[in-house]
Amino acid sequence: MIEVGNIVTLENTQEYLLLEELKKENHHYLYAVRVVNDEVATDEYLIFEALKKENDDYLKVVNDKTLYDELMDEFRDIVADKILDGALDDTEEGVAV
């Protein structure tokens, strides 16, 4: 299922954790980070377009540089808004030193 928080496996067997989603002009985009052994995040990020074909869901990498840059700016805004709203505060607890 293509939904934020899930890990998807691509045809090349690489796995990506879906971090954020964005709907723009009747298209559904997902920002994802590649994960390896035991769901450890790497520094490899991609933006996918979610497609539906014959009741199946597919992910297509966004390769258009202009579109990718526009989407990246919008994903940054989404995350920044969540930080300002405190929505990400519960994801990591601070440790007293």
Side-chain angles (χ1 to χ4, degrees), residues 12 17 27 29-30 34-35 45-46 52 54 57 66 70 74 78-79 89 92:
N12 63 6
L17 171 62
H27 295 274
Y29 299 101
L30 295 138
R34 184 168 175 234
V35 292
Y45 294 85
L46 287 177
K52 196 166 206 65
E54 297 175 15
D57 294 323
T66 304
E70 287 174 19
E74 291 187 44
I78 290 169
V79 172
D89 289 348
E92 189 174 309

Side-chain angles (χ1 to χ4, degrees), residues 59-73:
L59 292 176
K60 176 183 171 188
V61 176
V62 173
N63 289 316
D64 178 282
K65 172 99 171 96
T66 304
L67 176 60
Y68 186 93
D69 291 345
E70 287 174 19
L71 292 170
M72 185 56 72
D73 287 342

Side-chain angles (χ1 to χ4, degrees), residues 4 7 9 13-14 24 34 38 50 62 65 73 80 85 92:
V4 170
I7 293 177
T9 304
T13 70
Q14 292 182 342
K24 178 179 179 166
R34 184 168 175 234
D38 298 323
V62 173
K65 172 99 171 96
D73 287 342
D85 291 343
E92 189 174 309

Side-chain angles (χ1 to χ4, degrees), residues 43-57:
D43 61 353
E44 297 175 47
Y45 294 85
L46 287 177
I47 297 176
F48 296 102
E49 180 178 0
L51 305 169
K52 196 166 206 65
K53 183 177 180 183
E54 297 175 15
N55 294 328
D56 288 324
D57 294 323

Side-chain angles (χ1 to χ4, degrees), residues 17-29:
L17 171 62
L18 304 177
L19 300 172
E20 287 295 338
E21 66 182 333
L22 167 68
K23 293 186 180 177
K24 178 179 179 166
E25 299 172 6
N26 296 321
H27 295 274
H28 184 201
Y29 299 101

